[in-house]
Each structure stands twice: as structure tokens, then as C-alpha cells.
Amino acid sequence: MVGTSLLDRLRHRQDSRAVLGRAARLTLVASVVFYACRYGAGSSVLATYGLFGVVATGSFARLPGPASQRARILLLALPVVWALIVAGSLLAWSTWAAAGGMLVVGFVVAFAGVGNPRLVGLASAFQLFYILASFPPYQPGTLPQRLGGVTFAVVLLAAAEVLLWPDPVPVSYRQRLTRAADGVAAFLDDTADTLTDRACGRDGSRERAYDAVAALDLARNPPEWAPTAAGAQDRALRTCAAALREVLAEADRLAADAPPEPIPDLDAARLLRACAATTRAAGRDLSPGAPPVDLGDLDAAIGRAEMAYPGGVGRAAADVARLCRDATALALADSARVFAVGTRVAVGARPDGGDAYAGLFEYAHRRPWTLYRRQFLSHLAPRSAHLHSSLRLAVALAVARVAAGVLNLTHGFWVLLATLTVLRTSAVDTRVALRPAVLGTVVGAVVSGLVMFAVDDPVVYAVVLPITLILAFGAGGLLGPLWQQALFTVLLTVVFAQLSSEGWRLAETRIVDVLLGAVIGVLAGVALWPRGASRDLRRNAAGYLLASGNAVDRIVEAVLGAAAHPGPAVEDVRRRMILVDSSYCQFRSERHDPGRQPVSWDVVLSAGHHVVPGAESLLRRNPPGCLADWPEAAALLRDTARHLHSAYGDLAGAVANDRAAAPMPAPSDCVDGLNRIRPLLGAADPASVRHLVEVDRWLAGLASSLARMRPSAPVESHQG
């Protein structure tokens, strides 16, 4: 039955070849390390730490990138591994000292993932190195052997990553961004054709563009691949994704407002084609060796479009629809230029200080330490899901270390390993992980005990070690958590049968240790933030939406000359965006109650995600005070902003209190909004008309994102 199940998994899992290749690589490296250290050098300490180094970095770690990058990460991580082993070895003299160190190490290692997602994949491995070293016997004199065994294992594994059956490289975020840029550029070309010839079809380019841009959502990318690091390049990639979403949204609006009759040589169509060419070239700029994108053609097209718009007082009164289309095209071009500058920053360049967009990329001129400090401070907040997860894990591991020390367990590190295996970010996920961990351990221990009771020759276990390794790394990964835990238990038995003489009682010890660790993990999962990211997401999203509504109000008051620059309000939205994105990424990784009707958090959060990039673009073209002398326009914009502020507040209340949000009426389009004051346009200053059109169409875009949300059920609860 196991063989049939394994064959079924091999047929249906697309990554089965990669899993087996990784298993073969780890088996070969682990066998060489263990045999060389245990039988070649005759040292059980070298063998223990060498084999553990392969298991921790090869099986527990999740590393991004191609084989060469993973090998480089392993080698760069060695100093951290040494420091953790030294710390654990020196604190092993006392249970309480080791537990205190576990509390600090557990939190710091887990929380470090806030600053760089590459550390997320290494977090479990780092914790395991400290755990192993922090248990008795207290023998500081064995430190050279401990460090030597781990170093030998990591270096050999790094070489094997490159030379032996390297894993296939998944699509990186940069490649996804390049594909999305190509898709959006194709849609821009089709939209430009539609503006000049209504008979032109788009041939599915809109749907393909939306699919490609949707793949950029952080929650749809593995944590070790998502660009969530605090560094300038990752921040630039996030800026590029936001700019590309704005380009697509503006292009969609422009396509929907295309004139019923073709307008040859429309300025907006020419500008769209220039945007398409620049967007496509900028996307390819993210590929290694690609030349920097040239912004000259786009800047020239923007200059021509600005000179032709609005073109005079008479035209402003007569052709409101044309004004709205031109305003949308210019806003689109602004976002396309942001995307192009962002790709330059993402490959390591710095924006020109005199560029109008340099302020948006001010972080490119900051020191990395400053950027990391800002990101860590943003997550040191009571509602940070990442902070909660890090504290939960650190406390659970510290309690497990105290329990193992007080009970004087021979293999106490198995207790902490079980806690680390069972504990998840929510009580629901912890409960799901508990059954395979416990049942798998029991099955593996029973099998191991029977085998050890019948066979007492270490030579036999030395011979079968490679078989148990390939089963634990390969078959276990394909058959699921229960079999993985069972086969891993058998592997540990085979290894320790060659290191000690405990016999079949080793299996009994394994069961007791895992049960204790599982109980501690379950208690921590139930007692500390058991709902995982669900509640944090609701609270963070509510605060984010309220801040977005406040920022909209401040921006409108600023362009009307009634308030100071809205920079602090926009910065507040950006700071809250970091928290809500982190909560959402963790939320997407958790299980939830299938009986509840989920709401589309993508749509909820997009209502806020359009505020910051759109506001920055708007303020670059429409500085504070630009409409200060037009009271009729002020009345129109304040009325719209008031309704938007109220809608953001209602949505925030619905998210926070688990109730349905009031439906938002479909907003009037740009033309209808300006038609209300059409008699005023004839005598208005052309520049003021342009500012009014651009501010009004930005507000209409925000209203459209809110109008898409009509939940028929409470927003979300997801009890866990």
C-alpha cells in the first residue's frame, strides 16, 4: 500500500523529480560526512554535528535562488552557525542559562526574517544548531570538534548543491515582474489601437495582463522569494509592482472611456504607445546583462502631451471627455515612468537627484542599516503578526528547554525539535500538525524498537544508514508529514545505534520526548495568539483603511491650499502598509474555517494600496495650493473626499468588527463630475482646469476600488 501511494505521488506531483534529486544529494553528503567522522576520524562528536549540519541546512532550511546562490547563502551563514554553537555550548552548564539563551536566540532568529526573507528559510536551521549545542554534556573543550563537523558538512553540502543534481530554479520575482511588464505593455498597445480605431480587438490582452500582475502579490510568492527585505533593491521591486498595478488600472479606465468613433492621431494614443515601449524595455532591464532603459522617448511623449493639454480655455469648456482621457493618459505615463526608474534602482543604480521622481526613491540613497532599522521598528508594534509569531516560538522553545533540563532527559533536544515541528502560527495549524507528528513518531519508534531488539550489531546499522537516509529525505517528502516523521524517527534510531549503546530503549525515549514537545507546542499555540494572523489582519487592515481615508482628505485639502503638505499622512499609510502586508502573507499561509464564507482580501487591501502610489503621482503633477483660488472646484472636491473618507471608515469598521460593509454607490465618471461645473470651465484658467481634472479622476479611481466591494456576508472572522 505504501508503494502504491508512493507511485501515485510520483505520478501526480510535478516536483517529485526535484524531491528525489534533493534526497539523493543529501543522502550522499550525509553518508560521506557521517562515515568519515565516525569511522574515519573515530569521533562521535564530529559525526553527530556533521550529520546534524546536513539535516538542518539541507532538510529544514528553505533557500531561494539557483544552486550557486543557495551554495553562497550556506557559506555566508557559517559564521552565524558557529556563533550559535559556541553560545549553546557555553550556556549548557545550566538549564536556566540555556533556556534564557533559547528565549533570546529563538526570538532574534525568527524576528530577523522581518528584515530579509532569505533568513526565513534558515530560521529553523539556526535554531536547531543552538538547540543541539545547548544540551549536556557541558564540554567546552569539544568546541573545535563541534565546529569542525558542522563546517565540513556545510561546505560539502554547498559544493553538492552546485555539482550534484541541482534543483530546478523556480520563477523569480524579477522574472514575474518582467512577464507582467510585457503583459501590461501588450494591453497598452491594444488600448492605443482601440482609441484610434474602435474596431480593433484586444484579443485577451487585458485578461493576460491582469493574470500576470496578480502573480506579483506578495502572498502568492514563497517567503524566501518575495521581495520583502528592507534593502533598497527589494523596496524598489515592490515600488515597481505598485506602479505596474497603477498603469494597468489607468489603462483599463482609459480603454473603458474610449470614444465611440475613432480619433486619428489622438495624443493619448501616442502617449500610450510610448508608455508600452518603455514599460516593456524597463521590464527586460531586470534581466542580468540587460542595458538600462532609455527614458528619452517617454519624456518627449509626456512633454508633447502636456503641451497639448488642456490646449486653451475654449477647448476646456467644449471637450470635457478629451480632457478626462488626456488626464488619465498622463497619470498612466507618470506611473510607467515610476516603474522604469524603479527597475534601475532594483538593479543597483541610484536615481538622479534632479529627477522629479527622486523623492519617491529616497531610500536608494540611505544606508542599508537605516533601512533595516526602520523596518524592524515598524514591526515592533502590538499588532504585528510577525512579532507575535516570533514571541510565541521563543517562549515555547524556552519552556521546552526548561522541561527537558528539569526532567533530565537523555535526548532532550528531541523535545525542542518536536515543539519546533508542531508549533504553527495558529492553533488550527498546530492542531493539524500534531497528529502526523505524534502518530508518525509512534509508528517509527515501534518499528525501530522491534528492529533494535532483534539486531544489536552496529555494523548492520552502518550498512543500512544510506537506505534510511534516502527514505527519510525522499519517500518521507513525497508521502506526507506522517510518513516523514515515522521515517525520520527510524533514521535517528539507526544513527544513534552507532553512537551509543542504549538499544531498544532509545525508541521509548524518542516517544516520550516527542510527546512532551508536542504538548508544549500545543499549549503555546493555544495560549499565545491562537487565531494566528486572522485578528491581526483585521486590526491592521482597519487601521490601514482609516489612515488611507485620512490621507485622501489631507491630500484634497492640500491641493485646495487649506492644509500643509500631506506627507506625514501618506507616510502613515505607507508604514501601516508594511504591517498589513506582513499579516496578509502569514494569513494566506494558514488554514481557516471552511464553513465561513471568505471575503476577497485582495480586493479589500487593494482599496488602500491604490492610495499611496496614486497620491505620490498626483502631488508631483498637482502641488499643494494649485486649486486654492477656485472655490467652486473646492466644493466639488471636498464633497467627493468627504464621501470617500466616510466609505473608508465604514469599510474599516466592517473589517474590524466582522460585519458587512455598506454598499458603495458606483462613482460618477470624470466627465459627469466636470459636467456639474461645465459653465465655469469657459472662464477658468487652463492650468486650473487640468489640476481639477487630475484630482477628480484620482478620487474617482479610489471610489471605483471601493465600489467593487459589496460583501454579502461578514468581512472575515476565520476563528482559529
Side-chain angles (χ1 to χ4, degrees):
M1 184 174 179
V2 176
T4 304
S5 178
L6 179 57
L7 291 176
D8 290 339
R9 296 293 180 95
L10 287 173
R11 282 194 294 265
H12 292 95
R13 282 189 57 157
Q14 296 180 350
D15 63 340
S16 59
R17 180 173 296 182
V19 172
L20 294 178
R22 188 181 310 116
R25 182 170 62 248
L26 292 178
T27 297
L28 182 59
V29 173
S31 300
V32 170
V33 169
F34 188 81
Y35 289 147
C37 294
R38 179 67 184 92
Y39 299 107
S43 171
S44 59
V45 175
L46 273 175
T48 299
Y49 279 81
L51 182 64
F52 200 81
V54 177
V55 173
T57 55
S59 182
F60 283 86
R62 303 189 313 274
L63 303 179
S68 58
Q69 179 179 331
R70 294 196 301 273
R72 185 166 58 252
I73 292 174
L74 287 174
L75 295 178
L76 292 175
L78 265 178
V80 180
V81 172
W82 295 334
L84 292 172
I85 292 176
V86 170
S89 300
L90 296 180
L91 293 175
W93 65 274
S94 164
T95 294
W96 295 102
M102 186 74 261
L103 185 67
V104 174
V105 169
F107 176 78
V108 170
V109 169
F111 196 67
V114 167
N116 195 325
R118 284 77 179 169
L119 296 178
V120 173
L122 285 169
S124 295
F126 284 157
Q127 289 157 348
L128 288 174
F129 283 120
Y130 174 85
I131 289 171
L132 179 63
S134 68
F135 277 93
Y138 174 64
Q139 296 175 336
T142 64
L143 261 178
Q145 291 176 286
R146 296 181 177 190
L147 298 178
V150 167
T151 303
F152 178 40
V154 173
V155 170
L156 196 60
L157 184 61
E161 285 282 350
V162 179
L163 302 175
L164 301 177
W165 313 292
D167 294 345
V169 182
V171 179
S172 69
Y173 194 86
R174 290 173 182 262
Q175 291 171 320
R176 290 176 186 258
L177 203 53
T178 299
R179 293 179 182 179
D182 285 339
V184 171
F187 181 47
L188 292 179
D189 283 331
D190 287 349
T191 303
D193 293 339
T194 304
L195 287 174
T196 55
D197 186 356
R198 198 63 170 162
C200 291
R202 290 197 286 269
D203 192 27
S205 61
R206 178 182 182 275
E207 290 72 19
R208 288 193 295 271
Y210 269 99
D211 288 342
V213 171
L216 300 177
D217 289 347
L218 295 181
R220 301 190 182 191
N221 291 268
E224 62 270 21
W225 282 90
T228 56
Q233 294 190 22
D234 271 25
R235 291 190 62 174
L237 290 174
R238 299 199 298 273
T239 301
C240 287
L244 211 52
R245 292 187 190 98
E246 287 299 303
V247 171
L248 183 56
E250 298 291 3
D252 208 7
R253 186 177 297 116
L254 199 58
D257 293 338
E261 299 296 333
I263 305 175
D265 298 326
L266 186 66
D267 293 334
R270 290 198 299 268
L271 182 57
L272 252 65
R273 292 191 177 97
C275 290
T278 301
T279 299
R280 189 177 287 110
R284 293 169 183 170
D285 187 26
L286 294 169
S287 302
V293 59
D294 183 9
L295 300 178
D297 291 342
L298 179 59
D299 287 341
I302 293 175
R304 289 192 299 268
E306 287 179 333
M307 291 181 63
Y309 158 71
V313 175
R315 173 180 160 185
D319 197 354
V320 172
R322 176 74 174 274
L323 280 173
C324 290
R325 285 195 301 273
D326 288 349
T328 303
L330 283 169
L332 185 154
D334 187 85
S335 295
R337 199 178 191 285
V338 169
F339 173 71
V341 176
T343 59
R344 288 181 170 181
V345 178
V347 296
R350 290 187 175 184
D352 185 358
D355 195 295
Y357 301 82
L360 179 61
F361 297 96
E362 58 84 21
Y363 53 78
H365 301 279
R366 302 283 182 179
R367 293 181 178 179
W369 169 248
T370 302
L371 299 178
Y372 277 87
R373 179 175 58 83
R374 286 181 181 178
Q375 186 133 323
F376 280 120
L377 290 177
S378 295
H379 278 278
L380 286 174
R383 295 179 180 177
S384 169
H386 206 110
L387 176 66
H388 294 172
S389 298
S390 302
L391 287 173
R392 181 194 301 109
L393 181 62
V395 170
L397 291 177
V399 170
R401 179 62 185 87
V402 170
V406 170
L407 297 176
N408 197 25
L409 300 179
T410 306
H411 297 284
F413 69 91
W414 285 351
V415 177
L416 278 77
L417 180 60
T419 300
L420 195 62
T421 302
V422 169
L423 189 60
R424 295 292 187 270
T425 58
S426 72
V428 173
D429 284 357
T430 300
R431 184 173 66 247
V432 171
L434 176 64
R435 179 178 175 273
V438 173
L439 186 57
T441 298
V442 171
V443 171
V446 169
V447 172
S448 302
L450 293 175
V451 171
M452 296 191 74
F453 185 79
V455 180
D456 193 26
D457 187 354
V459 176
V460 175
Y461 297 105
V463 172
V464 301
L465 177 62
I467 299 175
T468 56
L469 284 168
I470 195 68
L471 287 174
F473 295 141
L478 293 172
L479 291 174
L482 190 151
W483 287 104
Q484 190 170 31
Q485 190 69 23
L487 293 170
F488 187 69
T489 298
V490 173
L491 170 62
L492 289 177
T493 303
V494 170
V495 170
F496 280 94
Q498 302 173 66
L499 299 174
S500 64
S501 57
E502 296 180 56
W504 64 271
R505 292 191 176 276
L506 188 65
E508 177 186 1
T509 302
R510 170 75 176 163
I511 293 178
V512 173
D513 290 349
V514 169
L515 287 176
L516 177 60
V519 169
I520 294 173
V522 169
L523 292 178
V526 171
L528 303 175
W529 301 285
R531 295 183 180 179
S534 177
R535 176 176 290 182
D536 293 332
L537 177 58
R538 291 201 308 275
R539 291 176 175 175
N540 289 333
Y544 178 48
L545 292 169
L546 287 173
S548 297
N550 181 63
V552 171
D553 207 27
R554 293 295 87 198
I555 290 166
V556 169
E557 291 299 322
V559 297
L560 295 177
H565 195 282
V570 175
E571 183 59 34
D572 184 38
V573 179
R574 186 183 289 108
R575 181 178 58 83
R576 292 177 182 272
M577 185 188 299
I578 295 174
L579 290 179
V580 79
D581 281 343
S582 175
S583 298
Y584 182 46
C585 288
Q586 181 173 312
F587 176 84
R588 285 288 296 265
S589 69
E590 296 172 349
R591 291 177 174 86
H592 307 287
D593 185 1
R596 295 192 58 83
Q597 180 179 355
V599 106
S600 174
W601 279 104
D602 290 327
V603 178
V604 172
L605 299 182
S606 70
H609 283 16
H610 283 295
V611 172
V612 171
E616 290 166 337
S617 173
L618 181 79
L619 292 171
R620 277 192 296 274
R621 299 180 50 77
N622 305 274
C626 61
L627 290 172
D629 299 326
W630 198 355
E632 293 82 3
L636 169 69
L637 295 178
R638 282 197 175 103
D639 182 64
T640 305
R642 185 174 63 253
H643 283 91
L644 274 174
H645 199 172
S646 176
Y648 275 110
D650 180 71
L651 179 57
V655 169
N657 299 314
D658 192 23
R659 62 173 173 80
M664 173 85 176
S668 59
D669 59 22
C670 176
V671 175
D672 291 338
L674 292 182
N675 276 336
R676 288 179 287 171
I677 56 171
R678 180 185 287 270
L680 302 175
L681 299 182
D685 175 62
S688 296
V689 172
R690 188 198 79 182
H691 294 315
L692 173 61
V693 171
E694 295 194 0
V695 176
D696 186 74
R697 56 151 298 283
W698 176 66
L699 295 175
L702 296 178
S704 295
S705 67
L706 289 173
R708 288 196 297 269
M709 300 194 39
R710 301 175 182 273
S712 57
V715 170
E716 190 61 68
S717 178
H718 284 135
Q719 304 294 326

